[in-house]
Structures are given as structure tokens and as C-alpha cells.
Amino acid sequence: MAESDTRQATEERLYFYQDDRDTTCPFAPPPGLRALNDHAPVTRARIWDGSTPWLVTGHAAQRAILSDPRVSSNDKLAGFPYPNKAMAETAHHHPLTIFNADGADHTRIRRMMTRPFTRPRMEALRPQIQQFTDELIDTMLAGPKPVDLMHALSLPLPSLMICALLGVPYEDHDFFQEHASFATRSDKTTEEQQAANQALGGYLAGLLQKKMGEPTEDVLSDFATRIKDGDLTLPEATLLSMILLIAGHETSANMITLGTALLLDNPGQLARLREIDDTRDVANAVDEILRYLTVATFGQRRIAAEDFTFEGADIKAGDGIIVPLPAGNWDPEAFPEPEKLDLTRKANHHHAFGWGIHQCLGQQLARIELQVVFGTLYRRVPTLRLAVERDALAFRPADALAFGIGELPVTW
Amino acid sequence: MKVVVDEEKCVAAGQCVAAAMDVFDQREEDGIVVLLDENPPAALAEDVRNAAAVCPALAIRIEE
Ligand code: HEM
């Protein structure tokens, strides 16, 4: 057989990659992906546009590829494995951001954003996060039931926190929350999302200008100082603010909602969680829930900047690379019996926040929000339960920003 | 145990502080790693090894 025929024959059997979860088992990664991890942790797969990027599923292989300087996040390079058509069509005019920058550019941008999100700063916010959580639960318990947990707690908490960190005045919260959730909601049309983005951008730019005159202790004032110092332009600072706002919203909200659905499905583990007092043990439990659900399901997208051999694969410059984080987090080599939710297992080496230089900037904020919520909600509301059949839950379509459930009706 | 950190590589993810806060801190102005104790006591050895293992930028090295 000619070489091209062999290649074609092999390609016909390629795994078709998309995040197609089995609806009877929505908390688990797609079964096909798990099977691949067992026998081919680095392999070619086909994606929506017919191209055949590399798919890296093993935990160790994911670590190696995501920290390899020969691998780029530059989404303007030919061969980049876009998640969908809309992204492919708009990539050439994507500005340089923290997400698609490499090397020195990435370091420069990232270091302008890290200050407010350090672990010590986030620890210091714990009492405030606890207070917001308690107040939201008070309001929920005082109101009618059943209630949608997404709107009662999961969305408002990250929203209140990011507003407080950015320095958005309290009276503007309603505007802010509505437009922020709009911009990331997959049930809105592209036009509606663009309009919401524009409204938010305009609002943030106005606020940045105000903070240039009257700085306060917050992220927008930090950025305003950098504008005055000539390190950033107003549009750049507006974009950074938008990124923080959007990246910090839906992901955390989905973890609260989906995590609650998962725990209600695992009453033994839920009972155990209620008994945990030590903050480190709560932290560990949260890492296990992060691992198990890995809500950033869409697969990190990269492209090879040079030729190299990786785990026996001949990777060429310009080859697309996709790293589906849920597969690494369910790799039995790294997490024995991965399908078992075990809140006492050591789990902080998971990839729920990615790995390498792009690992989540807001992870310590997200972790502490989740530690507070998961350490409080089920104790204060011990009889919390679904108000609908589990089968009636509407899991979000695969192409959404983060995997999750649109709403979670609960009662107690 | 001797700990070595690389400030150039550090991406300020905060993982080392979460794992071993008596040994690592983050710089006030940009969150870059600050090594508080170059020779941590044996009692902290496990936490420090964990900190090195979960550093996403591979910026922590341990010399036994
Ligand atoms: C549970 C909640 C969260 C999850 C699961 C999550 C997940 C992730 C993942 C997987 C990445 C890696 C992207 C890549 O490799 O290209 C990432 C990056 C990022 N996240 Fe998060 N995230 C969460 C919360 C947050 C919060 C609260 C913020 C901000 C306030 C935030 C801001 C960012 C930013 C700015 C980046 C880009 C970092 C870079 O490219 O250097 N995230 N996140």
C-alpha cells in the first residue's frame, strides 16, 4: 500500500474530538476520551473543521506539553486548532491578551495582573467571602422555595467578589451582574452578547478614567495608575478588566452549582464534607471536586512552534495541539480509581486550572470562594435537596465556556 | 533539605504558598515567589515537596 493510502486508512479511524458527555453520566469526561488515555495518551484526533491536531490526554503528558516552551498559545499561527468556526473566523483580529501571548509578552501582561490575586491577599478576603456567603444564604432561606441555586448563590458570590476586587461601586452591581452573565451565556445570540460586552467595556473605561482622578485600593485603580505611568493604554486596561470579569464569573459559578449537584448525588461524601472542620481538609476536598468536575472542558488549544518528538510522536511546527483537561484529571496513573469521588484523596496536582505559564490567575480566589461555600452551605442547610428529578437537569451544551447546569432548583 | 526558587520562571499562581505558607510567600507588588526559609525543617519537608510538585511554572527546585 502506498504511504498516502496507509495514512488515509489510519486517519479514517481517528477519534473525533468534542466534549460530548454521556448524558446518563454527565459528571464524567466523554467515555471515548477516557479510553484513549488508556492506550494512546498522545495521538492524532479529528476536530470540527476536519483538521487532525494532536490530542494529549495523559496527566504526565499534559504537564510536559503545557510547560514546553516549543509550544505556543498564538492563535494567529496557521494550523491553530480553534474550538469552533466563530473563533477561527475572528482570530486574525484578536488583540494580544494574556491568553494568546507567549514568553516575554506573556510575562509582561501577566505580571500586570497578578498583584491582586496572590494567595495571602485571597486569604485576607476569607472573612468577606464568608460574610457575603452567609448573607446570600440568609436571603435564600428567608424567601420562597424551591429556589434556583445558580441565581441565589452561585452567580452572585463570584460577582460580588470580582466587583469588590475591581472596585465597582455597590450601586452599579445590578447593571454589572446582568451584563456580565449575559456576555457569557450561551443562550444569548452573538449580537446580544456583543452588545452586552460593549456596554460593559464602555462602563469599565468610564470607571478607569474616574479612578485616574480619584484612585482607591482596588484593581481598576492599579490599572489607572499604569495608564498614567504610560505602561498601559486605556483600551488595553479596559480589555484586562473585561478578561478578569468574564474569566472569574461563569467558571466559579458553575463549580458551585455543579459541585452541589455532584455532592447531592454522593450523599456519603456530602455527609463526610459536613463533618470536616480543618481548613486544610476542606481545601483538599475542594481540590478533589475541582478535579472530578474539571468545568473547563473545552480543551486547552496550543500550536507547535518547532519540530520535536514527544512521547514517541513526531510533532511538526504548525501542528495543532489540544489538551482536554478532564482526561488528565481522570488518568488512573495520577488519580487511582478516578471515577470515585473521594474528598480525602490528595488531589492538588489536578489540572482543573490548567498547567504551565497560563495556569489560572484567579485560582486562589476561586479556591477560597469554593472552600467557604462548600464549608458553609450544606451545614447551614443540611436538608438541601434537588427540587426536580436529576434527569430533568439541563446540562449545558458542549461548546459553552464552562461545562455546567443552567439552573439548579433546590429545596430544603 | 535546601530549596531554590527561580523568580524569572514564577507565574504567581500562589500554589507554593497554599502548600507551605511557612516556607513561601508572594511579593507584595506582583505576587512573585519569596523564599522565607531556604532550609526548612524536616517537619515541613512533605509540604515543601508538594509545593514544588504543584508549581505550574516548575520554578521550585529541591536539593536534598
Ligand atoms: C473554578 C473557577 C475557575 C476555573 C475552573 C478556571 C480555569 C482556568 C483554566 C483551565 C485556565 C487556563 C487557560 C489556558 O491554559 O490557556 C485559566 C486561566 C485564567 N483564569 Fe481561570 N478559572 C477559574 C476562576 C478564575 C477566576 C476567579 C479568575 C479571575 C478573577 C480567573 C482568571 C483567569 C485568567 C486571567 C486566566 C489566564 C491566565 C494566563 O493565560 O496566564 N479564573 N482559568
Side-chain angles (χ1 to χ4, degrees):
Chain A
M1 206 168 15
E3 196 189 326
S4 65
D5 291 342
T6 327
R7 181 155 187 175
Q8 199 178 3
T10 324
E11 290 199 352
E12 270 162 17
R13 290 195 304 271
L14 286 185
Y15 175 70
F16 186 77
Y17 173 69
Q18 61 179 3
D19 191 61
D20 48 353
R21 292 194 171 217
D22 175 350
T23 47
T24 59
C25 201
F27 300 121
L33 207 53
R34 294 188 63 198
L36 268 189
N37 178 29
D38 292 341
H39 64 88
V42 180
T43 187
R44 288 258 188 200
R46 194 176 301 283
I47 60 171
W48 65 275
D49 63 355
S51 66
T52 56
W54 297 98
L55 199 61
V56 181
T57 49
H59 184 267
Q62 290 193 344
R63 295 210 141 184
I65 206 83
L66 288 173
S67 52
D68 194 313
R70 296 167 297 191
V71 173
S72 164
S73 294
N74 185 345
D75 57 0
K76 290 189 181 65
L77 295 178
F80 194 87
Y82 302 104
N84 52 45
K85 197 159 180 254
M87 294 286 265
E89 284 170 355
T90 55
H92 58 282
H93 48 236
H94 281 176
L96 185 70
T97 65
I98 189 168
F99 296 115
N100 60 13
D102 294 324
D105 279 334
H106 177 261
T107 307
R108 181 178 54 82
I109 301 172
R110 180 147 174 144
R111 289 192 180 187
M112 284 197 269
M113 302 167 80
T114 41
R115 191 176 101 93
F117 297 101
T118 64
R119 177 73 185 202
R121 272 172 202 270
M122 296 306 104
E123 265 310 334
L125 287 181
R126 197 183 278 272
Q128 194 183 355
I129 298 176
Q130 183 71 54
Q131 189 196 332
F132 282 152
T133 304
D134 284 332
E135 287 169 4
L136 288 164
I137 296 174
D138 287 343
T139 308
M140 181 177 104
L141 292 177
K145 49 186 181 182
V147 73
D148 170 20
L149 193 74
M150 190 62 144
H151 290 91
L153 178 65
S154 314
L155 268 174
L157 180 67
S159 174
L160 284 166
M161 285 316 299
I162 201 73
C163 282
L165 277 164
L166 286 175
V168 172
Y170 197 77
E171 59 272 21
D172 295 342
H173 275 195
D174 286 347
F175 162 85
F176 208 67
Q177 203 178 315
E178 187 187 330
H179 287 78
S181 68
F182 226 78
T184 55
R185 267 163 57 183
S186 52
D187 60 327
K188 298 287 170 196
T189 64
T190 318
E191 289 73 31
E192 286 171 316
Q193 289 181 352
Q194 275 168 356
N197 267 332
Q198 250 163 24
L200 268 181
Y203 172 79
L204 286 168
L207 202 51
L208 279 163
Q209 280 169 310
K210 200 165 141 216
K211 305 259 178 191
M212 283 171 72
E214 311 156 33
T216 33
E217 247 307 299
D218 50 52
V219 177
L220 290 182
S221 300
D222 265 18
F223 290 164
T225 309
R226 288 183 193 275
I227 301 175
K228 283 200 287 189
D229 293 349
D231 296 341
L232 279 177
T233 63
L234 180 61
E236 282 167 348
T238 306
L239 184 61
L240 294 187
S241 314
M242 288 281 285
I243 285 177
L244 288 178
L245 170 71
I246 291 173
H249 233 94
E250 194 103 339
T251 39
S252 301
N254 275 317
M255 270 302 301
I256 297 174
T257 301
L258 202 58
T260 299
L262 174 69
L263 287 163
L264 292 175
D265 230 32
N266 288 269
Q269 292 294 312
L270 179 55
R272 173 171 262 173
L273 178 60
R274 276 198 209 97
E275 302 301 312
I276 301 179
D277 275 317
D278 185 82
T279 17
R280 274 188 84 138
D281 294 341
V282 176
N284 200 68
V286 163
D287 272 314
E288 168 68 352
I289 301 169
L290 281 159
R291 172 197 77 83
Y292 200 92
L293 294 171
T294 321
V295 297
T297 51
F298 45 84
Q300 304 318 108
R301 312 281 157 151
R302 300 291 190 268
I303 183 164
E306 330 175 354
D307 296 353
F308 62 100
T309 309
F310 179 73
E311 306 259 330
D314 264 329
I315 299 186
K316 299 277 179 235
D319 281 356
I321 298 169
I322 299 180
V323 187
L325 302 173
N329 278 346
W330 281 56
D331 180 346
E333 293 275 321
F335 304 97
E337 296 186 86
E339 62 291 337
K340 218 167 164 179
L341 177 73
D342 172 4
L343 300 184
T344 61
R345 87 160 83 215
K346 264 258 159 240
N348 70 347
H349 53 300
H350 65 70
H351 292 169
F353 293 114
W355 183 254
I357 61 167
H358 291 277
Q359 197 188 46
C360 184
L361 180 87
Q363 60 181 291
Q364 303 306 340
L365 171 62
R367 278 201 167 88
I368 294 180
E369 284 172 354
L370 296 174
Q371 288 166 21
V372 169
V373 169
F374 290 150
T376 307
L377 178 63
Y378 320 114
R379 286 191 186 206
R380 285 203 53 195
V381 198
T383 57
L384 189 80
R385 60 183 191 277
L386 289 188
V388 294
E389 290 298 317
R390 150 89 127 74
D391 294 346
L393 295 179
F395 288 91
R396 225 177 272 244
D399 67 343
L401 187 70
F403 175 68
I405 315 176
E407 49 182 68
L408 190 72
V410 292
T411 191
W412 51 88
Chain B
M1 162 184 275
K2 183 168 187 303
V3 185
V4 182
V5 296
D6 185 336
E7 292 174 9
E8 293 297 305
K9 281 190 178 170
C10 176
V11 295
Q15 283 289 71
C16 55
V17 184
M21 63 184 233
D22 295 327
V23 179
F24 303 97
D25 196 357
Q26 288 180 272
R27 211 150 70 188
E28 161 74 24
E29 66 271 25
D30 56 6
I32 298 307
V33 61
V34 175
L35 187 57
L36 299 175
D37 187 351
E38 236 178 43
N39 298 108
L44 295 178
E46 199 192 324
D47 287 350
V48 174
R49 263 185 223 109
N50 183 237
V54 297
C55 171
L58 313 175
I60 302 171
R61 217 177 61 235
I62 292 170
E63 293 166 5
E64 295 294 334

